[in-house]
Amino acid sequence: MPMNKLEKIKEGSKVEFLPILSDECERVLLDIMKNEKPKEILEIGTCVGYSSTKMLLASDAHIDTIEIDENRRNEAIEVWKEYNVYDRVTSYLGDVNDILTNVVKDKVYDFIFIDGPKSRYLEHLKIVMPHIRKDGIILADDVLFFGLVNGDEWVPHKHRTIVTHLREFMKYIKSCDELDVKIIDEGNGIAVMRRK
Ligand SMILES: C[S@@+](CC[C@H](N)C(=O)[O-])C[C@H]1O[C@@H](n2cnc3c(N)ncnc32)[C@H](O)[C@@H]1O
């Protein structure tokens, strides 16, 4: 059977590097769509629209999604149109570090997917925390970063900044009174945080 567009993106991402979510994270996302039935979603890191399209097809939610790369955002628009979900997307083109506060202003989300620049996860979490409803879920992908985040072992120079920031992020979420946290040690590590 010929592959559909989403299958092609997923397969293609393995051959030509494109940072699409892992199969493990996709399963967790789809479980959340099924069990939590979110109506308002925020995503940091659109890429070419793979995860957002999957979430929209599995729910009747609206999504705000942020991407810095114009080519990727344009490709995402084509994907949303092809799957007839574009009317449920508000796509923001820009640097999340500059625009996040404005995007979330006056908004309350049922589900937030943090999947943008990993060195900034903690800052982004702190900005979005007041905007997740009680019992809503915030999910952050890749938090264990190839097994380098747990423990204190030596980290190659090229990964040191990301790993240092992710260690701070993990320390923060584990001690945060406002969150119930579950770490799924699959893929590159998935943090599922439920707002108390
Ligand atoms: C892991 S990918 C997102 C994958 C997507 N959620 C999916 O699974 O289909 C991360 C994305 O964040 C984008 N990104 C990186 N830094 C950013 C920034 N400062 N502002 C906005 N987007 C950024 C990258 O261009 C990349 O497309």
Side-chain angles (χ1 to χ4, degrees), residues 9-157:
I9 292 173
K10 194 72 178 269
E11 278 310 301
S13 74
K14 292 170 190 162
V15 183
E16 208 172 302
F17 178 73
L18 192 64
I20 301 292
L21 84 179
S22 64
D23 292 341
E24 295 81 6
C25 188
E26 181 173 332
R27 273 197 295 277
V28 175
L29 269 194
L30 293 180
D31 276 351
I32 291 172
M33 294 304 115
K34 189 171 147 206
N35 298 329
E36 309 287 328
K37 300 185 174 39
K39 295 282 182 221
E40 285 296 331
I41 299 175
L42 170 69
E43 175 181 66
I44 300 174
T46 312
C47 198
V48 297
Y50 182 89
S51 51
S52 52
T53 304
K54 282 278 173 177
M55 288 189 273
L56 290 166
L57 290 174
S59 72
D60 59 3
H62 167 271
I63 190 164
D64 286 338
T65 180
I66 302 170
E67 174 58 52
I68 198 168
D69 181 316
E70 190 167 8
N71 291 330
R72 287 182 178 172
R73 197 279 281 259
N74 288 343
E75 207 175 313
I77 291 175
E78 293 310 312
V79 175
W80 294 323
K81 284 182 179 165
E82 184 161 334
Y83 283 89
N84 291 320
V85 294
Y86 191 29
D87 59 338
R88 290 189 281 136
V89 180
T90 305
S91 164
Y92 295 87
L93 178 64
D95 186 335
V96 63
N97 305 311
D98 299 334
I99 67 175
L100 184 59
T101 305
N102 269 335
V103 169
V104 300
K105 191 168 177 274
D106 301 328
K107 303 253 182 76
V108 178
Y109 296 98
D110 304 300
F111 176 63
I112 297 177
F113 182 29
I114 299 180
D115 198 24
K118 288 171 227 324
S119 300
R120 309 297 284 267
Y121 272 17
L122 183 52
E123 282 161 67
H124 297 161
L125 177 70
K126 287 180 180 171
I127 293 172
V128 301
M129 278 275 276
H131 300 275
I132 185 79
R133 72 160 163 79
K134 187 177 176 309
D135 284 331
I137 293 179
I138 303 174
L139 186 147
D141 195 16
D142 297 326
V143 292
L144 299 180
F145 202 68
F146 305 111
L148 292 171
V149 172
N150 278 340
D152 299 316
E153 67 262 35
W154 183 84
V155 175
H157 186 260

